[in-house]
Amino acid sequence: MMKKTDICTIENSKITVNEEVIFESPAETFSEFAKEAYKSLELNYPKFHKMDNLSKLAFLASEMILKDGDHSKTAIVLANRSSSLDTDFKYQESINSQENFFPSPAVFVYTLPNICVGEISIRHTMQTENAFFVLDEFDENFLNDYSEQILQSGKAEKVLCGWVELYQENYKAFVYLLTT
C-alpha cells in the first residue's frame, strides 16, 4: 500500500506544503513570483535562473519536498496538459525575431516537457526511473498506478509524483512523495 508523505501546491503566487503556507507573494507574473520564491527560500542552485518557467515551477515544488535527504533512489512521475507549449512559443518568437540571426539554443533546450524532470534529477542526483506524461487533465489514479509499478519493481524507494501545468500566466503544481 502506497502513502503520500508530503504534498506541495504552487498556485496564485503561493507555495503550500502539507497545508502550511511556506511562501506568498504579491507578484503578478510567474517569473516575478519564481524569482522572489527562489530568493526568499534561500535556494542555492544557480542553474535555476537559466531554466524555463515550467522547469522553475517543477523545481520549486520538488525542492519543497526533496530539500533534505538522499534521493538517489527516488523516481519522478509528472504530468501536465500543455507540455512545453509556453516555451515552444518563446522559441518560435526567437526564430521569428528580426534581431537574431539564429534561434536561441538556450530556449530550445527547454522545448521538451521532460527537461524539468532532468533538472530535478541533476539537482538531487537521482538515478532511477522518470516519466513525464501529457494528459487532458490531472489523473491521480493513473499517476499513482504508474508509480506503484515502479515501487513494486524495486527500481525506486520513493516516487516524486504530480501535476506541473504552466501556460502563459496560468500555472499550478500539485506534487507529492509516494512511498510504500
Side-chain angles (χ1 to χ4, degrees):
M1 186 69 165
M2 292 187 311
K3 61 183 174 189
K4 288 181 190 173
T5 60
D6 290 297
I7 300 170
C8 176
T9 303
I10 301 176
E11 64 182 331
N12 303 321
S13 299
K14 186 188 309 183
I15 300 174
T16 305
V17 177
N18 298 328
E19 299 183 16
E20 178 185 340
V21 175
I22 300 299
F23 176 78
E24 193 167 9
S25 165
E28 293 185 20
T29 68
F30 177 78
S31 292
E32 292 170 8
F33 165 74
K35 190 181 295 182
E36 290 174 17
Y38 176 87
K39 187 175 181 180
S40 175
L41 297 168
E42 298 179 347
L43 302 175
N44 183 21
Y45 194 66
K47 285 179 62 178
F48 179 84
H49 303 291
K50 295 181 181 181
M51 293 179 194
D52 73 323
N53 284 339
L54 178 62
S55 295
K56 287 179 180 178
L57 177 62
F59 183 88
L60 287 170
S62 68
E63 279 302 290
M64 299 301 98
I65 294 173
L66 303 175
K67 60 186 172 192
D68 300 317
D70 174 15
H71 293 287
S72 61
K73 298 207 187 250
T74 300
I76 304 175
V77 177
L78 298 177
N80 76 5
R81 175 186 6 255
S82 300
S83 185
S84 58
L85 196 54
D86 188 71
T87 303
D88 295 347
F89 277 123
K90 289 179 177 124
Y91 182 66
Q92 185 62 46
E93 287 174 0
S94 80
I95 291 172
N96 296 342
S97 172
Q98 298 295 343
E99 299 169 15
N100 299 323
F101 293 109
F102 300 101
S104 172
V107 176
F108 176 75
V109 168
Y110 292 97
T111 57
L112 294 171
N114 64 336
I115 296 303
C116 64
V117 170
E119 294 286 3
I120 297 165
S121 296
I122 291 166
R123 166 72 164 173
H124 295 282
T125 56
M126 296 173 159
Q127 301 169 3
T128 76
E129 302 292 310
N130 66 65
F132 196 108
F133 296 98
V134 179
L135 306 170
D136 287 336
E137 59 189 20
F138 176 57
D139 186 342
E140 189 169 3
N141 290 332
F142 172 78
L143 296 175
N144 289 353
D145 288 348
Y146 190 89
S147 297
E148 186 172 27
Q149 290 176 15
I150 292 171
L151 291 169
Q152 287 178 349
S153 75
K155 294 180 180 178
E157 296 171 356
K158 299 176 251 178
V159 180
L160 180 70
C161 194
W163 182 258
V164 287
E165 170 64 17
L166 183 136
Y167 181 65
Q168 297 175 340
E169 288 304 319
N170 298 313
Y171 61 92
K172 180 175 183 175
F174 177 73
V175 177
Y176 49 95
L177 195 63
L178 290 174
T179 62
T180 53

